Amino acid sequence: MKTIFAFAFVLALALAAPLDDSKNAQVLKYENDNIGVDGYKFAFETSDGHQREEQAELKKLGDDVEALVVRGSYSYTGPDGVVYTVTYLADENGFHPEGAHLPAV
């Protein structure tokens, strides 16, 4: 009898748990432009508040040296209800993120 009661209690807790909205998120916007070997551009937005956009272009550094320069941003709503946004640049010098919630380097 105790086993049945314990099982029913655990089942009730599992059914009462909040649903994870990110598993049920819908795509609200999606754009994709593949420029070919010279770069790309894309963006998307979901119903749970996630957004991302990014574009890249090929940069000539020398006669036979090229690098892909990527600029973009993403945002999401944290568990605390605050919307966090990160903008970034990735190039031959590395990945450089910026955001109000990130420490300044």
Side-chain angles (χ1 to χ4, degrees), residues 10-24:
V10 171
L11 180 62
L13 283 177
L15 293 175
L19 295 175
D20 184 3
D21 287 339
S22 64
K23 291 181 181 177
N24 299 316

PDB file of all heavy atoms in Angstrom, residues 10-24:
ATOM      1  N   VAL A  10       4.613  10.564  -6.501  1.00  0.00           N
ATOM      2  CA  VAL A  10       5.631  10.924  -7.494  1.00  0.00           C
ATOM      3  C   VAL A  10       4.984  11.267  -8.831  1.00  0.00           C
ATOM      4  O   VAL A  10       5.371  12.230  -9.499  1.00  0.00           O
ATOM      5  CB  VAL A  10       6.674   9.789  -7.650  1.00  0.00           C
ATOM      6  CG1 VAL A  10       7.593  10.044  -8.821  1.00  0.00           C
ATOM      7  CG2 VAL A  10       7.466   9.628  -6.366  1.00  0.00           C
ATOM      8  N   LEU A  11       3.971  10.512  -9.225  1.00  0.00           N
ATOM      9  CA  LEU A  11       3.254  10.778 -10.468  1.00  0.00           C
ATOM     10  C   LEU A  11       2.568  12.144 -10.405  1.00  0.00           C
ATOM     11  O   LEU A  11       2.625  12.919 -11.365  1.00  0.00           O
ATOM     12  CB  LEU A  11       2.233   9.678 -10.749  1.00  0.00           C
ATOM     13  CG  LEU A  11       1.414   9.838 -12.031  1.00  0.00           C
ATOM     14  CD1 LEU A  11       2.336   9.819 -13.260  1.00  0.00           C
ATOM     15  CD2 LEU A  11       0.378   8.740 -12.136  1.00  0.00           C
ATOM     16  N   ALA A  12       1.957  12.469  -9.291  1.00  0.00           N
ATOM     17  CA  ALA A  12       1.294  13.768  -9.138  1.00  0.00           C
ATOM     18  C   ALA A  12       2.308  14.904  -9.225  1.00  0.00           C
ATOM     19  O   ALA A  12       2.044  15.935  -9.841  1.00  0.00           O
ATOM     20  CB  ALA A  12       0.545  13.826  -7.813  1.00  0.00           C
ATOM     21  N   LEU A  13       3.472  14.735  -8.631  1.00  0.00           N
ATOM     22  CA  LEU A  13       4.527  15.755  -8.720  1.00  0.00           C
ATOM     23  C   LEU A  13       4.992  15.940 -10.156  1.00  0.00           C
ATOM     24  O   LEU A  13       5.195  17.064 -10.614  1.00  0.00           O
ATOM     25  CB  LEU A  13       5.715  15.382  -7.834  1.00  0.00           C
ATOM     26  CG  LEU A  13       5.561  15.617  -6.345  1.00  0.00           C
ATOM     27  CD1 LEU A  13       6.805  15.122  -5.607  1.00  0.00           C
ATOM     28  CD2 LEU A  13       5.318  17.079  -6.051  1.00  0.00           C
ATOM     29  N   ALA A  14       5.160  14.850 -10.865  1.00  0.00           N
ATOM     30  CA  ALA A  14       5.620  14.923 -12.252  1.00  0.00           C
ATOM     31  C   ALA A  14       4.588  15.636 -13.132  1.00  0.00           C
ATOM     32  O   ALA A  14       4.951  16.442 -13.994  1.00  0.00           O
ATOM     33  CB  ALA A  14       5.897  13.530 -12.802  1.00  0.00           C
ATOM     34  N   LEU A  15       3.321  15.359 -12.918  1.00  0.00           N
ATOM     35  CA  LEU A  15       2.279  16.008 -13.714  1.00  0.00           C
ATOM     36  C   LEU A  15       2.115  17.482 -13.359  1.00  0.00           C
ATOM     37  O   LEU A  15       1.707  18.291 -14.192  1.00  0.00           O
ATOM     38  CB  LEU A  15       0.949  15.280 -13.534  1.00  0.00           C
ATOM     39  CG  LEU A  15       0.898  13.866 -14.113  1.00  0.00           C
ATOM     40  CD1 LEU A  15      -0.424  13.205 -13.760  1.00  0.00           C
ATOM     41  CD2 LEU A  15       1.105  13.897 -15.615  1.00  0.00           C
ATOM     42  N   ALA A  16       2.454  17.862 -12.133  1.00  0.00           N
ATOM     43  CA  ALA A  16       2.329  19.256 -11.703  1.00  0.00           C
ATOM     44  C   ALA A  16       3.538  20.091 -12.084  1.00  0.00           C
ATOM     45  O   ALA A  16       3.498  21.313 -11.989  1.00  0.00           O
ATOM     46  CB  ALA A  16       2.133  19.299 -10.187  1.00  0.00           C
ATOM     47  N   ALA A  17       4.620  19.487 -12.532  1.00  0.00           N
ATOM     48  CA  ALA A  17       5.837  20.222 -12.889  1.00  0.00           C
ATOM     49  C   ALA A  17       5.561  21.145 -14.070  1.00  0.00           C
ATOM     50  O   ALA A  17       4.821  20.791 -14.984  1.00  0.00           O
ATOM     51  CB  ALA A  17       6.965  19.246 -13.233  1.00  0.00           C
ATOM     52  N   PRO A  18       6.152  22.364 -14.047  1.00  0.00           N
ATOM     53  CA  PRO A  18       5.936  23.276 -15.174  1.00  0.00           C
ATOM     54  C   PRO A  18       6.546  22.727 -16.455  1.00  0.00           C
ATOM     55  O   PRO A  18       7.562  22.044 -16.429  1.00  0.00           O
ATOM     56  CB  PRO A  18       6.644  24.559 -14.735  1.00  0.00           C
ATOM     57  CG  PRO A  18       7.607  24.140 -13.685  1.00  0.00           C
ATOM     58  CD  PRO A  18       7.033  22.915 -13.051  1.00  0.00           C
ATOM     59  N   LEU A  19       5.897  23.043 -17.572  1.00  0.00           N
ATOM     60  CA  LEU A  19       6.404  22.598 -18.865  1.00  0.00           C
ATOM     61  C   LEU A  19       7.540  23.499 -19.315  1.00  0.00           C
ATOM     62  O   LEU A  19       7.533  24.695 -19.064  1.00  0.00           O
ATOM     63  CB  LEU A  19       5.287  22.633 -19.910  1.00  0.00           C
ATOM     64  CG  LEU A  19       4.133  21.683 -19.678  1.00  0.00           C
ATOM     65  CD1 LEU A  19       3.053  21.920 -20.715  1.00  0.00           C
ATOM     66  CD2 LEU A  19       4.603  20.247 -19.713  1.00  0.00           C
ATOM     67  N   ASP A  20       8.501  22.944 -19.994  1.00  0.00           N
ATOM     68  CA  ASP A  20       9.614  23.695 -20.565  1.00  0.00           C
ATOM     69  C   ASP A  20       9.147  24.280 -21.891  1.00  0.00           C
ATOM     70  O   ASP A  20       8.958  23.563 -22.868  1.00  0.00           O
ATOM     71  CB  ASP A  20      10.821  22.770 -20.762  1.00  0.00           C
ATOM     72  CG  ASP A  20      12.045  23.513 -21.257  1.00  0.00           C
ATOM     73  OD1 ASP A  20      11.976  24.758 -21.403  1.00  0.00           O
ATOM     74  OD2 ASP A  20      13.067  22.863 -21.492  1.00  0.00           O
ATOM     75  N   ASP A  21       8.939  25.611 -21.935  1.00  0.00           N
ATOM     76  CA  ASP A  21       8.416  26.266 -23.137  1.00  0.00           C
ATOM     77  C   ASP A  21       9.343  26.138 -24.329  1.00  0.00           C
ATOM     78  O   ASP A  21       8.892  26.167 -25.469  1.00  0.00           O
ATOM     79  CB  ASP A  21       8.152  27.749 -22.863  1.00  0.00           C
ATOM     80  CG  ASP A  21       6.931  27.960 -21.992  1.00  0.00           C
ATOM     81  OD1 ASP A  21       6.084  27.042 -21.930  1.00  0.00           O
ATOM     82  OD2 ASP A  21       6.823  29.037 -21.384  1.00  0.00           O
ATOM     83  N   SER A  22      10.653  25.997 -24.095  1.00  0.00           N
ATOM     84  CA  SER A  22      11.571  25.923 -25.225  1.00  0.00           C
ATOM     85  C   SER A  22      11.350  24.652 -26.041  1.00  0.00           C
ATOM     86  O   SER A  22      11.646  24.621 -27.228  1.00  0.00           O
ATOM     87  CB  SER A  22      13.027  26.011 -24.758  1.00  0.00           C
ATOM     88  OG  SER A  22      13.360  24.900 -23.952  1.00  0.00           O
ATOM     89  N   LYS A  23      10.813  23.612 -25.437  1.00  0.00           N
ATOM     90  CA  LYS A  23      10.542  22.379 -26.177  1.00  0.00           C
ATOM     91  C   LYS A  23       9.350  22.554 -27.114  1.00  0.00           C
ATOM     92  O   LYS A  23       9.213  21.822 -28.078  1.00  0.00           O
ATOM     93  CB  LYS A  23      10.274  21.231 -25.208  1.00  0.00           C
ATOM     94  CG  LYS A  23      11.491  20.802 -24.439  1.00  0.00           C
ATOM     95  CD  LYS A  23      11.183  19.656 -23.525  1.00  0.00           C
ATOM     96  CE  LYS A  23      12.412  19.255 -22.733  1.00  0.00           C
ATOM     97  NZ  LYS A  23      12.138  18.198 -21.782  1.00  0.00           N
ATOM     98  N   ASN A  24       8.487  23.524 -26.816  1.00  0.00           N
ATOM     99  CA  ASN A  24       7.292  23.748 -27.619  1.00  0.00           C
ATOM    100  C   ASN A  24       7.384  25.030 -28.434  1.00  0.00           C
ATOM    101  O   ASN A  24       6.386  25.504 -28.962  1.00  0.00           O
ATOM    102  CB  ASN A  24       6.061  23.823 -26.710  1.00  0.00           C
ATOM    103  CG  ASN A  24       5.848  22.537 -25.943  1.00  0.00           C
ATOM    104  OD1 ASN A  24       5.964  21.464 -26.506  1.00  0.00           O
ATOM    105  ND2 ASN A  24       5.570  22.640 -24.666  1.00  0.00           N
TER     106      ASN A  24
END
